[in-house]
Amino acid sequence: MPRPAQTSIADIISSTIADAVRSITPTIQRRIAALAAEERGKGLARDGRSRRRVARARPRAKEMTKWVADRRARRVPTFVIEMTGGIDTKKKIVARYGDNAAFEKGKPPPKASK
């Protein structure tokens, strides 16, 4: 009587896994293809526009009519330079008119401090 061929458990497991992978592979490939087509469709739906943000146009700045020489002040407006007789830096204006001196367009400059 012939003996049945001996197969190891490792051989049985590897052949079972190979069969399962062979049977499931086409389904995975179809799903991946469908997802790729969907993503490609989303890209075309953007009308070919890039993803960069378009800079919004800033509204025109209003004409400055009041300026205070305080810690937050940066540049000295031209109307203040004209009012002070050519003083063009914040430090010089603060030295002459004092801290928090307010200049308004159309009005006389504040009194000079001592």
Side-chain angles (χ1 to χ4, degrees):
M1 194 169 204
R3 293 174 102 189
Q6 289 190 351
T7 55
S8 69
I9 294 208
D11 292 338
I12 295 171
I13 291 174
S14 70
S15 68
T16 305
I17 290 175
D19 292 341
V21 168
R22 243 182 267 116
S23 68
I24 203 169
T25 300
T27 307
I28 292 172
Q29 288 174 336
R30 282 192 301 270
R31 183 65 182 147
I32 289 173
L35 289 173
E38 185 180 314
E39 286 297 316
R40 197 175 330 120
K42 284 181 185 176
L44 294 175
R46 287 188 291 131
D47 298 328
R49 290 181 279 172
S50 68
R51 291 183 181 240
R52 290 187 308 171
R53 289 182 178 235
V54 177
R56 292 185 184 174
R58 288 186 181 178
R60 286 236 178 234
K62 296 178 183 175
E63 186 178 350
M64 186 178 279
T65 59
K66 184 175 182 177
W67 183 78
V68 179
D70 59 1
R71 288 186 186 272
R72 296 180 304 133
R74 293 194 177 196
R75 293 183 293 174
V76 179
T78 53
F79 80 89
V80 175
I81 294 171
E82 292 168 0
M83 289 173 77
T84 58
I87 301 175
D88 59 349
T89 64
K90 184 179 81 169
K91 280 185 174 183
K92 291 177 186 175
I93 291 172
V94 169
R96 183 167 183 183
Y97 294 97
D99 208 15
N100 294 324
F103 294 86
E104 289 191 56
K105 199 170 199 174
K107 293 186 178 180
K111 302 273 187 207
S113 66
K114 295 180 180 179

